[in-house]
């Protein structure tokens, strides 16, 4: 398995219950594909460089996980159809093999 990072942000007005459900959905998307979540780091509310979907702020979360490269496409698909996620990026970590 390879090491990856997922960084995403949601609308800061999103309720805490919805944020918790979103985190569980992402966690299950990773683990259902055989991956493991190493760390979840909630960065909190940050100012965006430019306006995205009429938002000037975003609530950021960084998830470090291990998964097979073939499973990243399915995780990407699930993230794309999740309406609460405004933007996301998945990158492979260089510090781990």
């Amino acid at each position: 398995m390879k090491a990856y990072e997922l960084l995403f942000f949601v609308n800061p007005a999103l309720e805490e219950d919805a944020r918790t459900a979103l985190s569980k959905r992402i966690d299950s998307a990773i683990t259902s594909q055989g991956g493991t979540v190493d760390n979840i780091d909630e960065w909190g509310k940050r100012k965006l460089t430019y306006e995205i979907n009429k938002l000037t702020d975003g609530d950021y979360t960084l998830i470090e996980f291990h998964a097979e490269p073939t499973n990243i496409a399915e995780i990407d698909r699930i993230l794309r159809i999740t309406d609460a996620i405004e933007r996301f990026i998945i990158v492979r970590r260089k510090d781990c093999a």
Side-chain angles (χ1 to χ4, degrees):
M1 284 199 284
K2 307 271 187 209
Y4 294 94
E5 288 181 341
L6 163 63
L7 179 65
F8 67 92
F9 78 89
V10 297
N11 187 336
L14 194 65
E15 295 180 10
E16 189 64 33
D17 294 340
R19 249 184 242 140
T20 304
L22 179 63
S23 292
K24 286 181 182 177
R25 182 171 183 186
I26 293 171
D27 184 69
S28 68
I30 293 169
T31 56
S32 69
Q33 299 296 319
T36 59
V37 176
D38 300 330
N39 186 30
I40 298 176
D41 188 14
E42 295 182 8
W43 291 2
K45 186 178 173 183
R46 304 269 174 121
K47 185 109 174 119
L48 299 176
T49 304
Y50 54 90
E51 191 174 289
I52 297 175
N53 296 337
K54 300 183 181 177
L55 295 175
T56 57
D57 296 317
D59 190 354
Y60 283 82
T61 303
L62 175 71
I63 300 176
E64 296 174 347
F65 65 98
H66 282 80
E68 292 297 330
T70 56
N71 298 337
I72 296 300
E74 178 62 17
I75 296 168
D76 184 78
R77 185 191 71 78
I78 292 169
L79 293 169
R80 286 185 190 279
I81 63 173
T82 304
D83 292 334
I85 297 176
E86 298 294 334
R87 293 282 196 277
F88 72 92
I89 187 169
I90 301 173
V91 294
R92 183 160 175 241
R93 295 191 329 231
K94 300 279 185 195
D95 59 335
C96 299

